[in-house]
Amino acid sequence: MKIKAQIAMVINLDKCIGCHTCSVTCKNTWTNRSGAEYMWFNNVETKPGAGYPDQWEDQQRYKGGWHLRKGQLTLRSGFRWQGLSLSRIFYNPNSPTIDDYYEPWTYDYQKLLKSPVRRHMPTARPQSLLTGEYIEKLRKGPNWDDDLAGGPQAGGRDPNLRDLLGEEVRLEFEKAFMLYLPRLCEHCLNPGCVASCPSGAIYKRDEDGIVLVDQEKCRGWRYCTSGCPYKKVYYNWKTYKAEKCTFCYPRVEEGVATVCSETCPGRLRYMGVLLYDADRVPRAAAQPDEQALYQAQLELFLDPHDPAVIAQARRDGIQEDWLAAAQISPVYKLAVQYGLALPLHPEFRTLPMVWYIPPLSPMVSVLESRTSGSVTTGFFPTLEQMRAPVQYLANFLTGGNPQPVERALRRLLGMRHFMRSLETGQENQEQLLETIGLSEQTVRHMYRLLAVAKYEDRIVIPLAHREESRKAHQEQGKVGYAL
Amino acid sequence: MKLWKKMRFFQQATEKYADGWSSSAVKDRDWEDLYRQRWQHDKVVRTTHGVNCTGSCSWKVFVKNGLITWEHQQRDYPGTDPDMPEFEPRGCPRGASYSWYVYSPLRVRFPYIRRILLELWREALELHENPLEAWQSIVEDPEKAGQYKKARGKGGFLRCTWSEVYRLIAAQMLYTIKTYGPDRIAGFTPIPAMSMVSYAAGARFISLVGGPMLSFYDWYADLPPASPQIWGEQTDVPESSDWYNSGYLIMWGSNVPLTRTPDAHFMTEVRYKGTKVVAVSPDYAENVKFADSWMAVKPGSDGALAQAMTHVILKEFYVDKSSPYFVEYAKRFTDLPFLVTLNQWGDCYVTGRFLLASDLGWDIVNPEWQTVVCNEVTGEMTVPNGSIGTRWGDHLKWNLKQEDVYGQSLEPLLSLAEQADERVMVAFPYFDNRSKGVKKRELPVRRIRKGDKEFYVTTVYDLMLAHYGVSRKGLTRGYPQDYDDQESYTPAWQEQITGVPREQVIQIAREFAENAEQTQGRSMIIMGAGANHWFNSDTIYRAILNLVLLTGCQGVNGGGWAHYVGQEKCRPIEGWNAIAFARDWSAPPRLQNATSFYYFATDQWRYEELPMSQLTAATVGKPRYEHPADYNVLAAQLGWLPSYPQFNVNNLQIADMARAAGAVSPQEVADYVVSSLQEKTIRFAAENPDDPRNFPRTLWVWRSNLLSSSGKGHEYFMKHLLGASHGLLAEENISFKPEKMVWQEAAEGKLDLLINLEFRMTGTALHSDILLPAATWYEKHDLSSTDMHPFVHPFNPAIDPPWEAKTDWNIFRGMAEVFSDMAAKYFPGVHQDLVAVPLMHDSVDEIAQPFGRVREWSKGEVAPVPGKTMPKLVPVERDYGLIHEKYSSLGPLLEKNPVGAHGISFSVADQYHQLKAINGTVEAGLAAGRPKLETARQAAEAMLTLSSATNGKVAMKAWEAEEGKTGLLLKDIAEERAGERLTFDGITAQPRQVIPTPVFTGSNKGNRRYSPFTTNIERLVAFRTLTGRQQFYLDHEVILEYGEGLPIFKPTLQLLVLADRDQQPSRKEKEIVLRYLTPHGKWNIHSTYQDNIHMLTLFRGGPHIWLNHQDAQEADIGDNDWVELYNRNGVVVARAVLTHRLPRGTTFMYHAQDKHINMPGSTITGERGGTHNSPTRIHIKPTQCIGGYAQLSYGFNYYGPIGNQRDVYVSIRKLNEVNWLEN
């Protein structure tokens, strides 16, 4: 056993209002500059939809992440030294092109003030930031199919819909459903980008698991952009280097949440420490059954209250304050204890560390039937009456296994029933608690974490021990000087 | 050289683990400082966004190397409760993108004038020494005036200096004042709460001059007239955290995640507490994602849905069983037990007005204003405490104690069913999509004999049951059989209109009421613009509000209505009001309802197609007037509404004219005006808006993109107000003229000068004659508050205004200085202005016109009496040379006169003196020794000090005044905070909660969540209505004329794309006609942010419409195709977004997509495709013109016709050739 600590995140899709504040605050802080215009370290996608970049989830197309070849864990695009073969040294067929993202643009705004008197009112027209040319008609952006824009045609391109279209899912007004998926780098336990980098410029930090691209070592090979199945490494066309979400390490090191978490008006992001057994990572990632990958990853996480784990963690150099943080980690609670949060596309086998609570989307199909379909049998609709099919959620949260999704949703729904019974003074909720497999106390804690969600409960980040990294006493008077 | 190049972050040997799969390598990680350095910053400044979104979020603005770099939300709001979610982190993506504007190429950096005008001006100055004459030589020369007016919107701005631009404006204004009167100078700026000092900056200047400030809340159609109709209250709503107290939450026409982004979490979170969430929305909107149940109502039919839900609740909770909680509430806090007279109508009856003490000949104060109930115990009729007659008569009785005015205890009788003298058939007006008619239903009545008169009365409750078709034992004639009967207003009836299954309606209505029963009123409806911007928004809202009134939810935390449409609470109201309208120096200000102003100024009244007889009740022979404009002129004449420009003569010359005719005293001057009006030698300007004497001449626009955001009827604005190029296809309707107006040739380009303060280029900026560079929100001191949370937030400058930008306060103060200097020279002396003031709500004027009867002095039906049957006429002295001195100091009237709001007033003399120490005093001149008001920060400090919500001492005075008006003990509500005073520094350190005050209807005492009307319900303060209760019934003649005595369903206005006389574009083969809705968008707050590169990047980069993919198919429109949308009002070009999220038959063009971004030409007009408001216009609703009658009395932004724009249709076609009109 080798215990490592990872700062991880949980995003509660059931609370996400799709506002994109996270994307904007992140962009302003990190990628609001030339060469980085199209980079959205954090973006939000409407599902069903093709996503950003276009159909990124389709690994037949992009060959990102890992797969098993003859039982061996292998990068889908081949290992990095294969990448260096002469035929592919200047050409990476799997890398997304600018058309898969979008051509960043601006407008000739200054015309509005500078225009001489003309026959017609001036208007600011879009201009490409790459070529400076006018763009007659914009055709693509980082959020082109927001809120089901593009209709069934665009929604139908969602790789997760696969075989569901027609029978289970119909993209029409009466059956409409959607959810929002905020996405950032997964800071994976088994990152495809690290493994594909020919320069060794990408690394996973030992102390907190944050994955970074060394801007001094990067040589711009761009194998990371294809190696990452989440398409969260971007190529800066001005510096010729790859860049990606840094999990806001300059903030996280100081115990402050990432910008996206801090500024989320939906209050749906949680950050905390997870302890995991690094020795078991390759085995978990190589679990043959895709539908069992979620469970395999879950088993990597160690109980921070277990004395044996604590003892080993100390031996492996985990600090006391990190252990304490792990014990009150909201991520551990949501992912492990309550079983509510699930990984994004575990079948990519990178062991992602941003997890998602599936949305209840608990809206019955009101228009289906004049007589029965419109009325819920109980006060709340049942799981079966919900719009977003469980299988669809399972296709991106559990490698297609519906059971964990169903269990999470039942627990959310059960919590609502239980809390209503408290609010309205009804009794006898034992049976309800039994069916969702949680104690009354757990449900109350769950409610507090999900609904009341105080900041200090949402965000639990121990400080980086900078004193260990440098000669702190000497550096104290010199920080910031670049002499 | 990097000193630390060789250092390692974590010193470790290279180590392999996981069977060699992973390794830890020693690595130089100094490069990591790269991102650390990006994150490091020099300072963080607390400020907020002065944007009209009701958010009022507190932000951290980061400054690095002297530049504003980015903004994140503050998190330090004082806690709500340990068991509740907090307000943090309030903010949204729009706000988060604001810093882009500061240095962007869209920024207005210098003062600009259009070259044509500047050249004319400079030439004129060469020829005329007197600048007023110079201006005259331009504006009175049709060729020159036409030259610069026609160039509006067409580019050609020239940078000039502040002093030159100030001089031109001052000359124009002084010339206008001298020639036409000060009321030809108008100011438009909306929503003070979003940046109240900046609002006040211009309003103070314009008020001192004597120009009208134009309203916004009613003009935006955000005002729900139902609120003053029911409660006598403009709007009061719970803060968003109170959603978390609800047990059942309906979002009705309110897309919470999109329009209430920072608040939405309270809705998502309360679901976990076991609250059921229901969405009523025609489209699968963002909020529907969270709903347990979705009622996919057809657009505009919400009223029908609510009528049926009311039917279910009345039947199941009042008739089948009698819910004690509901009945008790109804009896004490609503007008349901009050008696209403019935009038004979053919072989049956119709409802009349409330029974009054005067009908019974009772000798009490204001008997014509005291309403009557039956006492359940004695069976006798009596007058309960609390009616409006007690409010303006016997103060100690203006409360809701269960007593009558004779001091006897009282249990009002709800229904006469058990004590009826007779049963009669009553005809109720009825409307649906196809027809109008009556429904005759049997009712229990009492017979009253008074002298030789005999008449019937019944209770509002009995009327409600009959109107809603809820039969009772022995009362079944004319009633529907059951829920499946298609008669009004059953669940089956609504199904035909709304498309919502009846079973769902029954279930939701039942659950809503059951929850209210279980939780004693914690069922809530969040209401929004989706249900509000319609022509009949008031009837829609009244129908919906039935649900919270009948279930005892209003005035209860976690219950009641929660209307979030444009209304923002200007918390420090008394101080703001005094400073903004310069009441410290002179009163009354001219406060004009903007809907009427723009309706006449843009000549939309000349294009009416809909006779009012189509809208009146079947119980009424014909309407009083066929043309809606007549009602507005009537309202001006009777003092119901203000009307500026006022008369067809210069108000400054009236006193002279009167003196010439022999008048001496002010009374004689007034008499002169009255008789002149009667003889029509002086006329209301509204009677002839196209007479050049009646034009508005100057319009100041700031904090607003009037033309491209709220300018409904955009092309009418272009044509008639500005005289610019336009895309109007409609032709005037010369066969349908108002009776009360003069029809002369339509004017184009009425406005002589459009002045715009802006920080960015917008449609309004492009069309203005003068463009002044305003500071952004990150560059000034100001205050912001909202109804969504209980805090007052400061604006603080993160940088000084860059380039030549100035804060609004400094722009207007600088203007005042130049203006005063020039006035002293070219228009010196004291001038007497005569201000016509309408009959005001919350003043004794609201009992001016009894019985809700319309009596026209112009027809000899009544004598013209100012303040009674017509506007008050108040003389005000103006010395234009002193404007600047007055502007920059706090005037003497604050020391002398009480301040107040909502009908209570109290002295702030102590605070006035305190402000001398806080702000310092003026050293010399007119204002020597008075508190300074030189800076925006001083103005902010004064507002905080003078207001009850921000100064505990003032709050105590306000409660004391309220005690004096009600005979109740109330001061304890603010006692715990009596010693507090919110200061600018204090709220900059951390947000502070406001202090409970009677100028709002609820209280946040003890950190309780704010919910409106809790003071009325818990502390028995009467509602500011006729009966003193929440009113289901309205009895004004004009209301009854339109069949709206009781809440009712009315269909949307009929489909009209083009009238026969209109210009007909050559039709294309494939066009589709769709309902055209303009809801608030996701990527903008009105027009702000829609031109911001981040927002444009995040959604499709420019104007777009949404429509159902199957509808699109019919016109061969594909996703992202360019399309043209047109109707008689104009044309707009956009790209199509196809979706299955929208139902068929309706298109959305999200609000305020301006034409200055990515807008090609239209093939129909040959002009640039318009704005989202090009296909819209407004319709005046006569019932909203009423005044002088209890809660139906004018208040600025309070009552008056709303600028509704929603009942329109467009024809849509593909635009194959895109022409950018770059010539």
Side-chain angles (χ1 to χ4, degrees), chain A residues 203 214 216-217, chain B residues 4-8 26-31:
Chain A
Y203 58 100
D214 184 330
E216 287 175 2
K217 284 180 92 175
Chain B
W4 304 105
K5 193 77 186 166
K6 297 290 173 197
M7 294 311 298
R8 306 279 187 257
V26 176
K27 191 176 147 38
D28 179 348
R29 281 167 53 182
D30 284 355
W31 81 271

Side-chain angles (χ1 to χ4, degrees), chain B residues 574-628:
Chain B
E574 304 95 330
W576 169 77
N577 196 316
I579 292 167
F581 302 121
R583 292 181 202 268
D584 53 330
W585 285 103
S586 59
R590 287 191 166 95
L591 300 176
Q592 170 66 30
N593 72 304
T595 309
S596 302
F597 180 88
Y598 293 126
Y599 181 63
F600 291 129
T602 66
D603 280 339
Q604 295 190 42
W605 65 281
R606 301 174 76 97
Y607 300 81
E608 293 291 358
E609 291 288 329
L610 180 69
M612 292 298 98
S613 50
Q614 291 195 14
L615 303 176
T616 47
T619 49
V620 174
K622 66 184 183 67
R624 183 172 301 273
Y625 292 103
E626 278 291 3
H627 199 287

Side-chain angles (χ1 to χ4, degrees), chain A residues 117-128:
Chain A
V117 179
R118 294 180 149 190
R119 259 189 67 202
H120 299 284
M121 196 194 103
T123 197
R125 290 170 57 190
Q127 283 175 309
S128 167

Side-chain angles (χ1 to χ4, degrees), chain A residues 311-386:
Chain A
Q312 180 62 37
R314 285 184 180 134
R315 280 195 290 278
D316 288 335
I318 312 272
Q319 304 272 356
E320 289 303 317
D321 50 353
W322 282 67
L323 281 177
Q327 289 175 347
I328 55 166
S329 164
V331 176
Y332 184 76
K333 288 176 193 162
L334 293 168
V336 183
Q337 285 184 308
Y338 309 153
L340 293 178
L342 305 167
L344 183 63
H345 286 298
E347 75 277 16
F348 295 167
R349 298 180 183 274
T350 61
L351 308 181
M353 291 308 288
V354 176
W355 285 35
Y356 295 88
I357 299 175
L360 276 176
S361 187
M363 199 209 24
V364 287
S365 322
V366 288
L367 299 171
E368 193 173 20
S369 157
R370 213 78 325 226
T371 53
S372 59
S374 61
V375 182
T376 54
T377 40
F379 187 74
F380 294 119
T382 63
L383 196 56
E384 291 66 32
Q385 289 174 309
M386 291 179 189

